[in-house]
Amino acid sequence: MVSPELLARCKRGDRAAFEELVRTTNRRVYSLSYRLVGDRGDAEDVAQEAYLRIFRGLAGFREEAAFETWMYRIVTNCAMSHLRRRGRFGDVFKDDEQPETPTPDRAQEITVQRDDLARGLATLPAGQRSVLLLKDVYGLSVREIAQEVGIEEGAVKVRLHRARKRLKEMLEEEDRRAGEL
């Protein structure tokens, strides 16, 4: 969480404060970027573009929403713009944290599940995928997602429902196919 004091210093143009803001939020910004674009290099580009937009827009940030919500919206918009420019949607769900070392059998099972989930997420339309990630991975409320993505709360609920349903159907199909082998 970005402190109000740090945010105030950033809004006054304090470059050292902005550097601190970047250090404080970099992991979350990069992680969201990576999950949305699915490529480490592209995620770095998206994060950099997002920070440029944040820097330029800080003076106009009215604090009607939490800073993090505003920041996530910028990151999401940068990622969607990047994907439209590239004309592609790659894998979006990669785990960048290091879990404890599982047994070899469990490691293989986790890898298969992660791959299935990544393929399922990649098949979702960008709007559904971003809403699902913002809700289920980042824990934003429907209201926050609506503000961040720029759509009505009802549209968020519809996209979320459709994304979960589509993902569930895809994963069940993967399980059926695995059971036939």
Side-chain angles (χ1 to χ4, degrees):
M1 187 107 192
V2 175
S3 72
E5 296 80 24
L6 178 61
L7 192 54
R9 288 177 36 222
C10 288
K11 288 176 87 171
R12 288 193 302 265
D14 182 336
R15 289 196 184 263
F18 189 75
E19 288 174 13
E20 184 179 337
L21 176 97
V22 170
R23 279 191 302 277
T24 303
T25 61
N26 187 48
R27 183 174 173 91
R28 290 177 283 166
V29 167
Y30 175 80
S31 181
L32 177 57
S33 298
Y34 183 66
R35 285 189 167 105
L36 290 170
V37 299
D39 178 84
R40 292 187 189 284
D42 289 347
E44 290 171 2
D45 292 345
V46 167
Q48 185 175 18
E49 175 65 25
Y51 280 121
L52 282 171
R53 289 186 190 180
I54 290 167
F55 182 78
R56 291 177 185 148
L58 265 173
F61 175 56
R62 296 184 306 257
E63 300 182 46
E64 293 171 355
F67 172 77
E68 286 78 4
T69 301
W70 182 71
M71 177 182 73
Y72 289 148
R73 181 174 191 172
I74 290 172
V75 173
T76 301
N77 288 342
C78 287
M80 293 301 123
S81 294
H82 180 83
L83 290 170
R84 274 192 293 278
R85 280 192 307 272
R86 295 280 185 175
R88 64 177 177 77
F89 295 90
D91 292 343
V92 295
F93 196 83
K94 303 267 196 247
D95 191 359
D96 56 0
E97 297 178 17
Q98 298 298 319
E100 62 183 70
T101 306
T103 64
D105 287 343
R106 180 68 182 133
Q108 182 179 4
E109 182 181 333
I110 291 169
T111 300
V112 168
Q113 289 172 346
R114 187 176 295 138
D115 290 347
D116 289 349
L117 185 56
R119 276 194 303 279
L121 285 169
T123 66
L124 295 176
Q128 289 179 9
R129 181 175 54 238
S130 62
V131 166
L132 183 72
L133 289 170
L134 291 170
K135 179 69 173 157
D136 293 346
V137 175
Y138 291 92
L140 271 62
S141 70
V142 169
R143 173 174 281 156
E144 290 171 325
I145 295 169
Q147 291 171 348
E148 186 165 324
V149 177
I151 59 176
E152 297 293 323
E153 288 181 39
V156 171
K157 291 177 184 178
V158 169
R159 287 183 186 183
L160 189 58
H161 172 76
R162 289 179 180 165
R164 287 176 175 161
K165 181 179 177 187
R166 192 177 211 174
L167 192 57
K168 179 182 176 199
E169 290 168 353
M170 186 271 175
L171 293 173
E172 287 173 348
E173 179 62 29
E174 289 287 328
D175 284 346
R176 271 194 296 280
R177 278 192 234 144
E180 293 173 0
L181 297 178

